[in-house]
Amino acid sequence: MATFVKHAWPGLENPVYLPDDIPVEIKLISNSNWGSQARSTAQTRTTWHDTGPTGGDADSEWTWANGGRSGAGPAGYQAIIDDRKIIICHPFDRVTWHAGTEVGNRTSYGAEQCREKIGSRERAIRNSAWFHAAVCVAKGWQVDTALVQHHYWYGKNCPSYIRGNELWSSAVKQTSDNAAEIRRFLAGD
């Protein structure tokens, strides 16, 4: 069993638990092209995104987003994840502009997995699976109903690496297994 660290993330009522080998930085972005200041607790899902073939690592994605998203329209998500860390960049009690639909933006959290220019895609997927598992446990959600691909909201081919390599089933299983491990830890088993 992993050794877990308890985290308090802005806008989440309950703590989240992650393995101690996944560093977390809280670096909130606040600019006019980033998310929304509208408060919401209507979220019932967590959405898995990836940066696509032009993405970098978590630090470069954060720098680009924090700088106003040059070359892209407004967007937002709660987390940026790579093979080394998770950066929390938007409060969990706010509407983000990640899903591509009004319903998806209002009712789900978004996490952007960086997939290029990183050391290990497998490790980035692992860290993303832990992120989504931790959120599901903190919210009391079941992974099989709460975890969705960006594709779910309007058909965009995202997360494209996972979809293109037929890894979605294994990503969901990994996330479910992680959630079960967190729940066992919390139960003291």
Side-chain angles (χ1 to χ4, degrees), residues 110-145:
E112 189 80 8
Q113 177 197 311
C114 300
R115 67 163 240 216
E116 296 295 330
K117 300 177 189 166
I118 58 176
S120 166
R121 282 194 185 111
E122 293 77 21
R123 176 85 181 182
I125 291 169
R126 172 202 181 262
N127 290 351
S128 294
W130 276 112
F131 167 86
H132 291 290
V135 168
C136 286
V137 171
K139 295 297 288 182
W141 300 338
Q142 295 303 310
V143 170
D144 61 343
T145 55

Side-chain angles (χ1 to χ4, degrees), residues 27 41 48 50 55 71 73 75 93 98-101 103 106 113 119 133 140 142 146 149 166-167 170 172 188:
K27 295 171 39 174
T41 56
W48 193 314
D50 74 17
D93 62 350
H98 70 90
T101 67
V103 170
R106 187 174 36 80
Q113 177 197 311
Q142 295 303 310
Q149 304 173 45
E166 299 179 2
L167 298 173
S170 66
V172 172

